[in-house]
Amino acid sequence: MLITHDTRCALDTVVDLVNSAPEDDAGADGLPDVAALEAFVREHQVSEVGVLGEADLAAVRRLRSRFAAVFAAPDARSAAGLINELIAAAGTTPRLTDHDGYDWHVHYFAPGASVADHLAADCGMALAFFVVAGEQERLRRCEAPDCRHAFVDLSRNRSRRYCDSRTCGNRLHVAAYRARRKEAAR
């Protein structure tokens, strides 16, 4: 599957957005205030965003939970339905653009769109490409018992199981190794 630069950026953005949600009722929100949203927008180089406020923060938080539902969708039909709702609500308006040193690429949001509509359109389309390509199963959640972070499995054979092999994957492998050693010592 060919993934263009702008699609990859949108995928990274949607994964980070979903993972900014609190893990549970006691967890910290990765987007606690407007300043955090502004930092998120800067970090992900979200273009054509005006001054952000509390309404934008609330809209992006609502959008975040809708994107999380896409990663939890049990099948392509369910994912497609969720993505279609996101894209339709954003008022998708595809247009070619070349800005900030990037060659021609497609923006799916209308000029002057809110940051939530911008994210819904661009990130929704990036996820849509996976469903269209028959690759919806690559939109995953970490299999570590204490982590449910979202990620996009871009491995060749669709075998990635953890959001980060250096943390979640390694931690589970070390635990399994220790358990085997303990069992062998008995």
Side-chain angles (χ1 to χ4, degrees):
M1 175 176 183
L2 174 67
I3 301 174
T4 62
H5 171 76
D6 53 316
T7 299
R8 180 60 194 254
C9 289
L11 291 171
D12 291 343
T13 300
V14 72
V15 164
D16 287 349
L17 179 62
V18 169
N19 292 338
S20 73
E23 298 258 339
D24 53 35
D25 292 337
D29 193 319
L31 293 175
D33 53 32
V34 174
L37 178 59
E38 289 169 343
F40 181 88
V41 165
R42 267 192 317 277
E43 178 184 339
H44 292 283
Q45 299 178 352
V46 180
S47 60
E48 300 180 39
V49 174
V51 176
L52 299 173
E54 290 295 328
D56 294 304
L57 178 62
V60 169
R61 285 179 176 165
R62 284 190 302 275
L63 178 65
R64 174 176 68 185
S65 65
R66 295 182 73 194
F67 276 131
V70 174
F71 281 85
D75 54 45
R77 184 164 303 283
S78 301
L82 294 166
I83 293 167
N84 282 339
E85 290 173 12
L86 284 164
I87 292 169
T92 307
T93 308
R95 62 190 165 96
L96 288 168
T97 183
D98 65 339
H99 62 86
D100 299 329
Y102 295 108
D103 204 358
W104 289 106
H105 60 282
V106 180
H107 280 188
Y108 295 96
F109 58 94
S114 70
V115 67
D117 284 346
H118 178 144
L119 292 171
D122 276 358
C123 296
M125 288 303 299
L127 296 174
F129 295 143
F130 275 77
V131 174
V132 167
E135 301 285 350
Q136 180 263 337
E137 72 275 2
R138 290 182 182 269
L139 308 177
R140 298 195 175 160
R141 290 293 193 155
C142 185
E143 291 183 18
D146 59 342
C147 178
R148 295 300 298 149
H149 279 153
F151 68 94
V152 178
D153 179 2
L154 297 176
S155 67
R156 217 179 263 210
N157 61 357
R158 299 178 188 96
S159 62
R160 189 170 157 199
R161 297 174 51 208
Y162 307 109
C163 63
D164 186 346
S165 61
R166 288 172 290 173
T167 54
C168 291
N170 192 45
R171 188 176 66 246
L172 287 176
H173 291 294
V174 168
Y177 170 77
R178 289 181 179 157
R180 286 192 305 272
R181 298 264 318 208
K182 185 177 179 180
E183 187 63 32
R186 286 185 184 176

